[in-house]
Amino acid sequence: MTTESDTVETWNTYGNHQLTRGLELPELDRWDWGIPGTGPGIEVLGDMAGLRVLDLGSGLGRHAAHLAARGADVTAVDASPAQHQRALARYPDTPGLHLVCADAVAHLRDADPYDLVYSVGSMPYLDPDRLLPVLANGLAPGGRLLFSALHTNSDGTGPSAELMPRPEILRLPGTTEDHPVNMWVLTPQLWEDLLVQHGLRMEAVTTIDSPKPDNHVSYRLYAARHLQRVPSPTLLRSGSRDELRNALTREWLADKPSRPWILFVADRSAALLSLCRIESERAWIKRMFASVSDYAEYRALIEYYTAEGAVLEARRRRVRNALVHGNPASFAIVDSVREYATFLSGSALNLGLGSYVEGTVPATALAKRTDEFNAMQAGQDAASHWRDQLAGSAATTTPPS
């Protein structure tokens, strides 16, 4: 088996061969994802104008230049100096195009988040366990990942359900000279499991087959989206506002609270939010507080928590497999499971939304609050329901004048 560094050298050989040939390929007139003239085109990327975009394994740079011409701010990364040199020679000063010769993992580790990361056939040359953790961090919340990957080679050998690389053949154009390259040719289910474990939700898998009946080559185009990050517990721990923190803590932990906890959150959300220590998590916490009084926001969070539940379950499975079967599990994944568990068990909002995280029937979780469940199923927000309950209780207990 060759290593990733050996694969870079193979692509250097390819790039130098193409430089020597001096063959000028035309600009793209159709966007392909692996097999010319087949499958979806550029339309799957949507509107690119103004987006920060990363091309992983950009090669000659034609795809990246095509997107830059459409108004995207594109960074094209390739680890091969020869391939990078080909791109520099072709696009020395293209507006909106930034050509970078670097290891993709190192680049993603240092770069600001991207709105879109795409790769035309190049991602399978990188170890998913090395790439996906930094790729997930390198995508902005809600950002998209689209990549095509070999599924079946020309000999008819299909994908593997194990996370192991295998040798494939790279033939130099215009020759019969073959070079082995290391590739992770994985089943769609394994790709989805890997993406979910790193906080990415699979949205679509498209089959791209060769139109020639005697050619077994087949690719898959994967489209995924980065989920909004669920924060760690960050409230009620602000050293600079002890008086407010203590007041909120006293009311929160009171033996005889003056109002239901959900109204405490609704009424004091601004004060609670002011104690958030981590600025990057403020927007998400604000949404959680808003969901108490805004039914539309509540429904939106249900969708996010459902997807996050799938992420948590996949990560839990991977950690279990590591412990039982000796499969590798990075510390980041273990730590992520611990972080999710801490948050979900400690948050008061877990009482209202926990069933969606766990994948259980909401009616079961809310069985002790049947009236609340019915009201929220009918479109009323939780805070309004409890205000009505308190108002009704007060009216019932008020003696006649």
Side-chain angles (χ1 to χ4, degrees), residues 35 112 175 204 256 263 294 312 352 394:
I35 302 176
D112 291 333
T175 76
K256 296 181 179 180
L263 292 186
D294 183 340
L312 178 60

Side-chain angles (χ1 to χ4, degrees), residues 7 35 52 67 166 168 209 215 253 261 316-317 361:
T7 300
I35 302 176
R52 272 179 49 80
L67 293 186
R166 76 184 190 202
E168 293 289 338
D209 291 332
N215 191 341
L253 301 177
W261 70 267
R316 184 199 64 78
R317 287 199 308 269
V361 179

